[in-house]
Structure formats: C-alpha cells, structure tokens
Amino acid sequence: MRLGFVGLGIMGAPMALNLLKGGHQVTVWNRTAAACDPLRAAGADVASSPAAVAAASEITFAMLSDPEAARAVALGPDGICDGVGKGAGYVDMSTVDATTSQRVAVAVEACSARFLEAPVSGTRGPAQEGTLIILAAGDKSLYDEAAIAFDLMGKKRTFAGEVGQGARLKLVVNLIMGGMMSAFCEGLTLARHSRLDTIELLDILDAGALSNPMFRGKGPQMLADNYAVAFPLKHMQKDLRLALELGHDLQIKLPTSGTANDAFVKALDAGDGDLDFSALLRTLNN
Ligand code: NAP
C-alpha cells in the first residue's frame, strides 16, 4: 500500500519504520526535517508538507504531540486537508481530546476523505517492537483497510465506535497510569524516608497483586535516578489535563487524579517535562 506518516518523534519514527519493514511504500514528513533522515535511509520518501504526504498516500498516519499539533497538521496551511484525496484515509494516532478529533474528522470528511482516530497504549519499546495496543474509533471501513498497517505497529487493537470514543478510552487508560505513577513515587519516597530497602520493596510489589510491567520496568531505573525518556513527562501531564477536562465535561469528580496532575504540573514547572514521566519522583517531595 502507499502509506504516509507525519510526526516522527519518539513513537512515530519506529512506527513508520515498522510500516516500511512490512513492505509498504511510505512517505513521511516531520516539522523538524532532520527527523526524516533515518526514515529516508531506510527507504521512505520524504515529502515537503503534510499535504504532500496525504496526496501521495492511500492512508496517512499521524503521531503528534498534543491537540494543538494535531489541529495544525490536519487543518493548517499545507495540512492534511489541503492534500488528502477523495476516498483516502487519515488516521490520527496522537493522544488528544475528543473535541479535537471530532473537529479534524469533520474537516477530513468535508474533503470526501475518511477519518479514524487511533491513539495507542504502549511506549517506546512496544513502538519499536510493533506491540502497541491500538484504540481506534471513527470510519469502520478505514479501520478495516488500515488493519494491515495496525498489525505491523501493534499486537492488539479495538474499534470503540464513533469518533471521540477512542480518544476518551485512551484518556481513561492514561488517567489510571498517571495516578499509578504518582502513588508509586509516593510509596518509594515514603520507603526511603523510613529507611526501608527499596529494592526489596520492588521485589515485594512484583511478587503480589500489584505486579505490573510499569513498576517492574521503571522501578529499578528510578532508584538509580535514570529518567531516560520513553514517555515524556510533559505528555503525561497533557493527558491528565485532558482526562480531567473530560471529567469536568461529564460532571465526574476525579480528586485523586487532580492531585496527581498537580504533582506533574510541579515537575513540569521544575523543568522536567522532557524527562521520562517517572521523573515525578525527583520533585514529589520538594
Ligand atoms: P514526541 O517525541 O514529543 O514527538 C512529537 C511529534 O509531534 C514530533 O514529531 C514533533 O515534531 C511533532 N509536533 C509537535 N508540535 C507540532 C506542530 N505544531 N506541528 C507539527 N508537528 C508537531 O512525542 P511522542 O512520545 O512520540 O508522542 C506522540 C503522541 O503519542 C503524543 O500525543 C503522546 O501523548 C502519545 N503517546 C506517547 C507515548 C510514549 O510513550 N512516548 C505512548 C503512548 C502515546 P518536531 O520533531 O518538529 O518537534
């Protein structure tokens, strides 16, 4: 298939590479052009704008930082809507709010093209390994056609219904993850101040009902003050903000998540936004 990919950051670059490895013809674009170089070296075509990617592709995928970026790339000058062909597909895999997704869907459909939102669960490693979990919603025919590409990028996928439901599902998942990380950091801090053996604490957590890949993978790195980025802290805070806004719209109280968000905002203000979100541990008790 002729596929396009815009947004070659931590997640987008390995996802696009997996489409290439799957034997597809892939055209890419990234705002900062240098990020295209490794993809070009692997055989991708590099286009001069999102519009040019969409014009060259049967299905274009996007993996962008936040709602502002998603709107700029889809709706802005030389954006997707300036190039997408009749019947072609646009799949935005960024984590955004439902309203942003719906706005983009309306604009894409006004071009007689099809839209799907497909945010993902999983971080840098799963993006490289092609084992992401894909939470799609929108045009079902596009979901079915994009399945061949999704299965190169992910190990599991679901179709959640109308546009907005994929975005909401992703925000619920990350609301839980943000709260878990916040509680994990508090537990590690309390254990340290209680002069407990924190490595033993990780072993105990892993042996019981609280065992999970996030604690298992990040725990030892956090104890070693290693916050090499897989999921940027600034994106975790963005997701908590969007989840809290969703709760506000639905008049649902989310007090624990509000407190977790405050902690992430504090870490962001301390300049840790580009570190991994586990860097919350650094600022939690300051
Ligand atoms: P990232 O490394 O920060 O990459 C963000 C991408 O968005 C870059 O390609 C960046 O271009 C582009 N971008 C930002 N603002 C833009 C604008 N105004 N116009 C055009 N392009 C713009 O982020 P990431 O970690 O790959 O995450 C991408 C999305 O996936 C986010 O929504 C994030 O929440 C979500 N996500 C991330 C993870 C993870 O573990 N990292 C996991 C699941 C979901 P430049 O290179 O020019 O800056």
Side-chain angles (χ1 to χ4, degrees):
M1 272 179 114
R2 284 181 293 111
L3 302 177
F5 209 106
V6 297
L8 304 171
I10 293 170
M11 299 295 283
M15 291 162 74
L17 195 59
N18 282 335
L19 299 181
L20 267 175
K21 285 182 190 162
H24 298 284
Q25 185 186 330
V26 181
T27 305
V28 300
W29 174 86
N30 192 69
R31 178 180 63 175
T32 306
C36 297
D37 293 345
L39 273 297
R40 184 192 277 110
D45 296 321
V46 177
S48 58
S49 66
V53 174
S57 307
E58 293 160 71
I59 303 177
T60 300
F61 297 87
M63 193 53 160
L64 301 156
S65 48
D66 53 25
E68 292 70 30
R71 287 195 296 268
V73 165
L75 314 174
D78 275 335
I80 296 293
C81 289
D82 286 340
V84 70
K86 204 172 165 186
Y90 180 51
V91 182
D92 191 350
M93 305 187 76
S94 323
T95 304
V96 299
D97 56 298
T99 305
T100 296
S101 241
Q102 284 155 350
R103 255 183 82 180
V104 173
V106 166
V108 168
E109 283 159 14
C111 304
S112 304
R114 294 171 294 160
F115 178 77
L116 195 69
E117 61 184 359
V120 304
S121 189
T123 184
R124 187 200 289 270
Q128 290 167 339
E129 292 151 15
T131 56
L132 294 167
I133 300 163
I134 296 167
L135 315 173
D139 189 301
K140 181 67 165 61
S141 72
L142 180 54
Y143 176 74
D144 292 337
E145 273 172 49
I148 188 167
F150 285 150
D151 291 343
L152 291 169
M153 296 187 277
K155 66 175 179 186
K156 180 176 172 64
R157 55 186 159 87
T158 188
F159 182 77
E162 65 189 31
V163 173
Q165 290 302 82
R168 293 184 185 103
L169 180 54
K170 170 63 188 170
L171 293 179
V172 168
V173 170
N174 273 24
L175 171 126
I176 294 169
M177 188 167 77
M180 274 176 68
M181 178 53 80
S182 168
F184 189 42
C185 289
E186 287 191 2
L188 290 177
T189 304
L190 186 61
R192 271 178 175 165
H193 284 258
S194 307
R195 287 178 284 106
L196 292 168
D197 181 340
T198 46
I199 293 178
E200 195 187 356
L201 171 65
L202 294 184
D203 277 350
I204 289 164
L205 289 174
D206 201 40
L210 293 181
S211 173
N212 69 76
M214 186 172 87
F215 291 178
R216 197 177 312 126
K218 293 201 186 285
Q221 293 175 20
M222 291 162 71
L223 293 183
D225 281 330
N226 174 359
Y227 305 111
V229 66
F231 181 32
L233 189 144
K234 63 186 176 189
H235 292 336
M236 181 73 254
Q237 194 279 318
K238 174 254 309 178
D239 294 351
L240 278 171
R241 171 175 63 82
L242 296 177
L244 289 170
E245 286 172 9
L246 176 60
H248 183 263
D249 290 347
L250 298 172
Q251 299 183 322
I252 303 289
K253 290 197 178 84
L254 303 167
T256 308
S257 306
T259 305
N261 181 54
D262 291 344
F264 278 103
V265 168
K266 193 171 136 195
L268 206 55
D269 290 346
D272 286 351
D274 289 320
L275 297 178
D276 191 70
F277 78 120
S278 53
L280 186 69
L281 183 61
R282 279 162 46 120
T283 43
L284 197 73
N285 245 38
N286 294 346

